[in-house]
Amino acid sequence: MKAQHLNPTREALSALILAYAESGSIDRALLLFHTLREMHNCFPSVVSSNALLNGLVKSGKVDVALQLYDKMLQTDDGACAVVDNYSTSIVVKGLCKMGKMEEGRRFIKDRWGKGCVPHVVFYNMIIDGYCKKGDLQGATRVLKELKMKGVLPTVQTYGALINGFCKVGEFDAVDQLLTEMVARGLNVNVKVFNNIIDSQYKRGLVSKAAETMIRMAEMGCEPDITTYNVMINFSCKGGRIKEADELIEKAKERGLLPNKFSYTPLMHAYCKQGDYVKASNMLFRIAEIGEKPDLVSYGAFIHGVVVAGEIDVALMVREKMMERDVFPDAQIYNVLMSGLCKKGRFPASKLLLSEMLDRNVPPDAYVYATLIDGFIRNGELNEAIKLFELIIGKGMDPGIVGYNAMIKGFCKLGKMTDALSCLNKMESVHHAPDEYTYSTIIDGYVKQHDLSSALKMFGQMMKDKIKPNVITYTSLINGFCMRADMIRAEKVFRGMKSFNLEPNVVTYTVLVGGFFKAGKPKKATSIFELMLMNSCLPNDATFHYLINGLTNTTPSSDLIGKNESEENERSLILDFFAMMILDGWEQVIAAYNSVIICLCKHGMVDTAQLLQTKMLNKGFLIDSVCFTALLHGLFQKGKSKEWRNIISCDLNNIELQTALKYSLTLDKYLYRGRLSEASVILQTLIEDSKFSDLPEKDQNVVEK
């Protein structure tokens, strides 16, 4: 009975508040705080109160933390209560987390001298807040204020500023801050250097990153495993796997232990190269070092093998990860479904969706977009519509990717009215169409031969200030080519430059085909040469247009285009094509060889060899002109010593003389008439063939 009249002490309630706050039960801790204050007329200890404040800030309840802080400032007699510097710093941190740095500064100013002595930690939080927001002027202003008040900046102060300037690529400012740190006697730690090196690599400043590494060594700062991970990641992204492997070995030599961040980029790089055995070895290495492969590691591997087209390998890895109690998230399911859909294995993709729902993994907009796209690829538009309507009916948002996938399906099947209806629905739920939306609809109209509607949509795109992409321009160019309106097609092509867009292989191919159909072979071949000059590799469609276009060009016409008054430049392809026709070559062989010559002239000898293989598959053997072209191409690539191992020379003396004739003509284009190394080799081969063609008794006479 006596126990009923006992009240819990302040210390006991404070301990309970602390326990609740540290375990994450913030609401219970807050309720106890108010109970203690209102029913027992006292406050919990400063340690408990700070734990509660910190918990509120971490959970994003900064406004509640501010209200609590105000109550902590007062006791019944109005004097300062359970508040210390740490209490104030927690609130300042919360304000900065919300991007309210100015409020944080005012907060410090208001508390100055009222049981609170602001120190460098306060300023560091505000500087860090400004830097994360990208307001480097604000951060620099606070640094000056800090110095004026006699507060000494710390490594953390400079670290926050350096990180901010790194993000915007202002490395001159970074160098100045490093110099200032050294002048103040501060030791720059490895974390600061890692941020600098990482930013420099991300911006492609390799030499600058190397200079930072040297500076780091000069200042006696040893690299840690994070330093090496930054370099490993950069090497892997550039496909330099051997270099990345060597970096791991160097790290081990320094006594550093590689971690999952060391092996994951390598795993991804091996996947890109199709070496799944070595990629899976990286997963085993992660396990060997005591770090259980996590969702990120497995996700990287699965993404890599799916991109490489090895969906079955990805599905096997999914089974393995689930056996080890690592379960796929929505992103991994999306990658797997996408891979299955692209392989035409749509039923398997639907099974994955069922599994996903059974495991209570909520599909995101990308998963639904993948499935909608899969239905459409599988020719099941009605199923795609049902799924799309089901998503909306359940109150879920398909997102812009989902709407775009549905619009793409309608456009693919020429249902432009339905595509526009879907666009209107998309806008009604406040999803603004993007460049993909507009480009898809424009392309849909073009394929329906409705260029006027495509141009209207393009006008709306410009009005909405949506930047067109390469697909937008390529579709419009295709529309004008289909109308044989090559003047406007070329005008649109030139307009791409105003948006700093580089034409792709489809853009160039459409123009090449368009000009050939319009009876302008010179213009078609000049576009092809422009394509090669811009290092854009042609594809089978490009070659189809070129070979067919040249083969159907009337031999009696003026092949080098003198009648096309708007063009004055010579066409290498047409010059050689005309030369071969006049020399009596078959038109199709002349077409192939002219294109191969052009490829070799522009250093694309590998592509030329692939085209030559296509010639062989069609029954055309390597001839003297083709041999000449490949010889020039290999010499341009610096393979003058190993050319015999790459192309065979089974030409007789007459064929070699023909080869030399074309080689000397090619010298005019490549070396302004100077004798090339290829021509010298051909002359030598001709001399050797003269000797080998002599009867054996005459050879003996020559030798004597």
Side-chain angles (χ1 to χ4, degrees), residues 272-332:
K272 279 185 180 177
Q273 288 196 356
D275 195 337
Y276 310 115
V277 175
K278 285 185 179 176
S280 58
N281 285 341
M282 294 300 108
L283 271 178
F284 296 137
R285 284 198 196 178
I286 292 170
E288 284 168 8
I289 60 176
E291 289 194 46
K292 182 181 175 183
D294 59 9
L295 207 55
V296 175
S297 304
Y298 282 116
F301 184 82
I302 288 170
H303 182 264
V305 292
V306 168
V307 167
E310 297 292 333
I311 185 64
D312 289 317
V313 178
L315 291 168
M316 181 189 70
V317 172
R318 165 185 151 274
E319 293 292 333
K320 295 288 183 188
M321 68 184 277
M322 290 174 76
E323 286 171 13
R324 294 173 185 177
D325 294 326
V326 182
F327 297 97
D329 59 3
Q331 190 176 1
I332 289 177

Side-chain angles (χ1 to χ4, degrees), residues 296-557:
V296 175
S297 304
Y298 282 116
F301 184 82
I302 288 170
H303 182 264
V305 292
V306 168
V307 167
E310 297 292 333
I311 185 64
D312 289 317
V313 178
L315 291 168
M316 181 189 70
V317 172
R318 165 185 151 274
E319 293 292 333
K320 295 288 183 188
M321 68 184 277
M322 290 174 76
E323 286 171 13
R324 294 173 185 177
D325 294 326
V326 182
F327 297 97
D329 59 3
Q331 190 176 1
I332 289 177
Y333 274 115
N334 183 46
V335 169
L336 290 167
M337 288 179 196
S338 179
L340 286 166
C341 288
K342 284 174 183 174
K343 290 284 184 181
R345 293 163 63 177
F346 195 64
S349 184
K350 285 195 276 190
L351 283 174
L352 275 183
L353 175 65
S354 298
E355 178 192 295
M356 188 178 181
L357 295 171
D358 289 342
R359 288 193 47 248
N360 294 319
V361 179
D364 59 17
Y366 290 96
V367 171
Y368 285 123
T370 296
L371 284 168
I372 290 165
D373 189 56
F375 276 123
I376 291 161
R377 283 173 185 267
N378 209 43
E380 299 178 44
L381 180 64
N382 288 333
E383 290 298 314
I385 294 168
K386 281 180 190 176
L387 177 61
F388 187 71
E389 288 175 349
L390 178 68
I391 297 164
I392 294 170
K394 286 186 174 182
M396 299 172 69
D397 183 4
I400 192 167
V401 288
Y403 280 102
N404 281 345
M406 201 67 248
I407 288 168
K408 180 184 173 185
F410 287 128
C411 290
K412 187 178 178 183
L413 295 173
K415 296 178 178 288
M416 299 310 298
T417 305
D418 291 322
L420 285 182
S421 176
C422 193
L423 173 64
N424 292 333
K425 281 182 188 175
M426 176 179 169
E427 290 178 319
S428 69
V429 292
H430 309 294
H431 281 306
D434 60 8
E435 72 276 6
Y436 184 86
T437 320
Y438 280 114
S439 297
T440 303
I441 295 172
I442 288 166
D443 190 55
Y445 275 128
V446 166
K447 285 173 179 170
Q448 291 301 306
H449 302 275
D450 188 353
L451 185 57
S452 60
S453 293
L455 289 169
K456 282 179 187 175
M457 189 57 66
F458 181 73
Q460 185 62 45
M461 185 180 190
M462 300 301 286
K463 186 180 175 182
D464 290 345
K465 296 181 180 178
I466 303 295
K467 181 183 175 183
N469 58 23
V470 175
I471 297 168
T472 321
Y473 277 103
T474 302
S475 298
L476 290 175
I477 289 166
N478 189 31
F480 286 118
C481 287
M482 287 162 73
R483 282 190 176 186
D485 187 348
M486 299 313 297
I487 293 172
R488 291 180 77 184
E490 195 172 10
K491 186 179 178 181
V492 174
F493 177 70
R494 288 196 299 268
M496 293 178 74
K497 291 181 181 177
S498 62
F499 284 100
N500 296 318
L501 292 171
E502 285 296 323
N504 62 19
V505 61
V506 181
T507 319
Y508 285 115
T509 300
V510 165
L511 270 173
V512 167
F515 277 116
F516 268 123
K517 285 175 186 174
K520 294 191 171 186
K522 186 179 179 192
K523 194 64 191 176
T525 53
S526 72
I527 291 291
F528 177 66
E529 287 203 56
L530 179 65
M531 176 184 188
L532 302 187
M533 283 190 282
N534 289 329
S535 303
C536 181
L537 286 173
N539 59 18
D540 287 345
T542 323
F543 292 135
H544 171 77
Y545 279 129
L546 280 163
I547 303 303
N548 274 13
L550 288 167
T551 305
N552 293 321
T553 299
T554 308
S556 59
S557 69

